[in-house]
Amino acid sequence: MHPWPPYPRAKTRRVPPKAASPFPPLPVPPSPTCTSTTRPPRGAAFRRTPAMATGSSRRRRAPQPLPLLILLSLLFAGSGKANAAAADAASRPSPIKNVVVLALENRSFDHMLGWTRRLLGLPVDGLTGAECNPNSTTSTSSTICVSADADLVVPDDPGHSFEDVLEQVFGTSNLSSAAAAASMSGFVRSALSINTLLSSFVMRAFRPSLLPTFSALAPSFAVFDRWFSSIPGPTQPNRLYLYSATSHGSVAHDKLNLLLGYPQRTIFDSLAADGHDFAVYFKTIPTVLFYRRLRSLRYASRRFHRYDSAFKAHAARGTLPALSVIEPRYFDLAGAPADDDHPAHDVGNGQRLVKEVYEALRSGPQWNQTLLVVTYDEHGGFYDHVATPTAGVPSPDGIRGPPPFFFRFDRLGVRVPTIMVSPWIRKGTVVGRPDGPTETSEFEHSSIPATIKKIFNLSSDFLTKRDAWAGTFEHIFTELDEPRTDCPETLPEVPFERPTPPKENGWLSDFQRELVELASFLNGDYMLTSLAQETRKKKMTVKQADAYVRRAITGFLQASKQAVRLGANESAIVTMRSSLTSKSASSSSP
């Protein structure tokens, strides 16, 4: 049970100025009985109180009370000015013209940023050291508590399926017996079902010194300490929410929808309808191709770019579009390490990617009109102490999940780290619960398309009921009259500390197998349904899968460009026929 009482609703908090070093000593692991300073009410600004004047020793005469009429006049005048200022800020066009989104993989807020309160002074809802989970491997009532000794590489991938998250959040995998309120008590027991070594790893959190990029960005810009994944489940359903505010009924890997492409409308469609451009910069394969509409020629022929050859060049030239999506490297190879933060990949590589993206934007001519959003698709099985919202969450589209759970999509997933960067954001901003649009609204992945709609004043309606409900964050970059000039130009270097080489000859994770299946569709191999073909895909190593996926996406995008040059209808989707070594364009509407 967390020792602090729940906060009332809030908007933002600020980090106080600090004179001392931001890295005071911290025991590893900290004692479960350790205490921390009393937390202020949510929304209280962390500012240093101005020093009192100390010139004269004479007793000052107490101020006389003002007449009631003067007090009322001052009160109404101040209220009128505040309302006028708020109205003026709301009526001004957004200073943001370019949004860049980077979604990393499988880490919880506490795991990545939980100790930033104690060690960086950020007023986040973080860890105290008293947060524990029961250890079900022992016959006694022992517990495993949080500690500040997370490793950059973990030994295995903690569970994060729908069933796993059910156990982690409620302490049981039996939905009918799950308590109405989330206890966040089943992370250790869930980890033990995967690998006994993981029982302590899922309770460990990073010292800020191991995450130098985040430790520089968080105090300089904005941290959201109440941002949740959209569903209590794995990667793909949550990634679908990032740009469409629904998973179309999926709570897990859905092979049919993966092959056909998910049919829902996306924020990319809304932007294009109003003449706004977008681009996807990818390293391995763009997961946004899980959306069927993005496979069409109008998008596939011109909106996808290799990150390494295009992103920094576009940023330097000032040609980034309204929305840029960055997709990291998902396969871990010697000389080309994964930088998506997915266990058991090296988190240091993810820090380097964020640093590279930030510095490319900071040095580019579009910096003063740019917003960078860095978030994680889901928590990946790592502990977080903040209870998952279970009430007042609307189903996006009324579609129920598959048996045996028939999930109604009426609760969110576990809290994940989210950092936002812009010269229009006040330094040291911490954003808590949103201030609407409903009493139960929260920040979650659907907040991204909901806010993009507001930033660009898009004419299209909300994508689903979920993004209409989700909190929006446009207020954090409307508080300044001009962009800041004190934003760091470069970020600290990330040391290379990986103790072991990548397991490029190891087997694939569930997520990587999904990427191979997406590639098999794009390459036409999904038509080869023999047992031998299916067996070959399942037994691919990481190195083999990376090569296969790269060939598939290259062939698909090249074929899409060729089809456009030959005059194909832009609503068509290229169909690759691997067995016939030919290509054709389907005229079916996406």
Side-chain angles (χ1 to χ4, degrees):
M1 196 71 175
H2 197 273
W4 290 329
Y7 288 146
R9 294 172 64 84
K11 293 182 180 178
T12 59
R13 285 149 275 151
R14 308 284 183 219
V15 61
K18 290 178 66 71
S21 167
F23 299 104
L26 181 74
V28 180
S31 168
T33 60
C34 70
T35 59
S36 62
T37 56
T38 304
R39 181 168 298 195
R42 189 165 212 151
F46 278 63
R47 298 185 186 277
R48 192 182 301 278
T49 303
M52 296 181 63
T54 58
S56 171
S57 60
R58 292 182 301 170
R59 179 174 298 179
R60 296 187 177 186
R61 183 179 180 183
Q64 298 299 313
L66 293 174
L68 179 61
L69 181 61
I70 297 178
L71 284 174
L72 290 175
S73 300
L74 291 173
L75 177 63
F76 283 113
S79 175
K81 290 180 180 178
N83 291 337
D88 179 61
S91 64
R92 291 199 304 262
S94 173
I96 302 301
K97 308 301 179 186
N98 308 96
V99 178
V100 181
V101 180
L102 170 58
L104 298 169
E105 287 280 314
N106 293 35
R107 305 282 171 166
S108 72
F109 182 95
D110 277 343
H111 179 63
M112 299 296 285
L113 299 176
W115 291 115
T116 54
R117 180 182 179 86
R118 285 192 61 181
L119 296 183
L120 293 184
L122 281 175
V124 300
D125 188 352
L127 297 170
T128 68
E131 299 84 1
C132 306
N133 262 199
N135 184 1
S136 58
T137 60
T138 62
S139 56
T140 62
S141 58
S142 68
T143 59
I144 296 179
C145 299
V146 295
S147 59
D149 55 345
D151 294 322
L152 293 173
V153 180
V154 296
D156 208 337
D157 185 11
H160 46 279
S161 68
F162 184 84
E163 295 87 342
D164 291 323
V165 183
L166 183 66
E167 182 173 37
Q168 292 159 9
V169 169
F170 295 104
T172 176
S173 56
N174 185 348
L175 185 61
S176 60
S177 62
S183 64
M184 315 304 284
S185 62
F187 288 84
V188 169
R189 186 166 71 174
S190 172
L192 289 169
S193 67
I194 305 294
N195 186 329
T196 55
L197 294 175
L198 287 175
S199 60
S200 63
F201 278 89
V202 298
M203 300 297 290
R204 298 180 185 179
F206 283 101
R207 295 174 64 93
S209 57
L210 272 184
L211 306 178
T213 301
F214 283 177
S215 297
L217 292 179
S220 298
F221 298 100
V223 176
F224 286 68
D225 70 349
R226 197 173 170 84
W227 185 292
F228 299 90
S229 51
S230 297
I231 75 159
T235 289
Q236 280 312 330
N238 277 296
R239 280 191 170 269
L240 291 169
Y241 272 84
L242 282 167
Y243 307 111
S244 71
T246 180
S247 64
H248 197 66
S250 292
V251 296
H253 175 51
D254 184 334
K255 188 170 183 177
L256 179 61
N257 270 321
L258 185 151
L259 293 178
L260 297 178
Y262 285 86
Q264 62 261 37
R265 190 166 58 92
T266 68
I267 194 63
F268 306 111
D269 300 306
S270 299
L271 285 165
D274 282 9
H276 297 288
D277 205 358
F278 69 88
V280 180
Y281 299 91
F282 66 97
K283 290 194 173 187
T284 304
I285 186 172
T287 60
V288 294
L289 286 176
F290 283 116
Y291 300 119
R292 178 173 175 81
R293 292 168 182 257
L294 265 72
R295 300 177 188 178
S296 67
L297 296 181
R298 70 168 59 93
Y299 297 147
S301 63
R302 61 178 67 97
R303 305 296 176 88
F304 293 87
H305 310 278
R306 290 283 182 184
Y307 172 88
D308 292 330
S309 61
F311 176 73
K312 286 192 285 187
H314 290 182
R317 291 199 301 264
T319 58
L320 293 176
L323 174 61
S324 299
V325 173
I326 298 177
E327 300 232 19
R329 186 176 290 111
Y330 297 119
F331 294 94
D332 201 22
L333 306 176
D339 49 16
D340 62 346
D341 279 1
H342 193 294
H345 298 160
D346 187 349
V347 171
N349 293 323
Q351 292 291 287
R352 293 182 191 96
L353 174 60
V354 177
K355 168 183 164 67
E356 182 177 79
V357 170
Y358 171 84
E359 291 176 356
L361 297 173
R362 178 66 180 87
S363 61
Q366 294 171 295
W367 167 248
N368 281 341
Q369 59 188 37
T370 294
L371 169 69
L372 169 62
V373 180
V374 181
T375 189
Y376 285 74
D377 58 352
E378 39 101 355
H379 73 297
F382 291 98
Y383 173 78
D384 197 89
H385 78 274
V386 171
T388 297
T390 58
V393 180
S395 169
D397 41 29
I399 302 175
R400 298 281 292 273
F405 297 104
F406 299 103
F407 183 51
R408 296 177 180 271
F409 297 90
D410 53 359
R411 53 188 174 87
L412 300 179
V414 177
R415 190 175 61 148
V416 294
T418 299
I419 295 176
M420 296 196 188
V421 173
S422 174
W424 290 94
I425 296 175
R426 290 186 186 274
K427 181 183 293 187
T429 295
V430 175
V431 184
R433 194 189 299 267
D435 203 16
T438 75
E439 283 298 312
T440 62
S441 292
E442 299 281 3
F443 289 116
E444 53 111 329
H445 295 330
S446 301
S447 297
I448 292 177
T451 306
I452 289 175
K453 173 179 168 59
K454 288 191 172 184
I455 289 174
F456 296 104
N457 194 25
L458 300 181
S459 59
S460 301
D461 200 358
F462 287 105
L463 300 171
T464 69
K465 293 179 181 178
R466 182 65 71 83
D467 60 322
W469 165 88
T472 58
F473 47 84
E474 72 282 355
H475 65 283
I476 68 171
F477 41 81
T478 59
E479 297 179 351
L480 300 177
D481 293 327
E482 58 185 18
R484 289 165 46 198
T485 58
D486 63 343
C487 304
E489 295 184 4
T490 60
L491 299 180
E493 293 298 325
V494 182
F496 287 86
E497 298 182 355
R498 181 164 185 164
T500 58
K503 298 179 180 178
E504 59 182 25
N505 293 316
W507 303 124
L508 305 180
S509 68
D510 290 341
F511 174 48
Q512 289 170 334
R513 280 193 289 270
E514 292 171 11
L515 297 180
V516 170
E517 291 188 357
L518 172 61
S520 74
F521 174 85
L522 300 179
N523 206 43
D525 293 338
Y526 71 100
M527 297 180 180
L528 307 178
T529 57
S530 68
L531 178 62
Q533 176 74 3
E534 290 297 313
T535 303
R536 183 182 69 83
K537 285 190 289 187
K538 289 179 181 178
K539 290 188 176 181
M540 276 185 178
T541 64
V542 170
K543 188 173 184 178
Q544 292 169 338
D546 177 75
Y548 175 76
V549 166
R550 286 176 175 273
R551 286 195 304 269
I553 184 60
T554 298
F556 177 78
L557 296 180
Q558 287 178 347
S560 297
K561 293 175 182 178
Q562 182 182 5
V564 170
R565 287 195 296 266
L566 294 175
N569 189 316
E570 289 200 345
S571 66
I573 297 175
V574 163
T575 300
M576 307 285 286
R577 300 190 182 278
S578 178
S579 61
L580 301 177
T581 64
S582 63
K583 309 174 183 70
S584 65
S586 166
S587 61
S588 59
S589 180

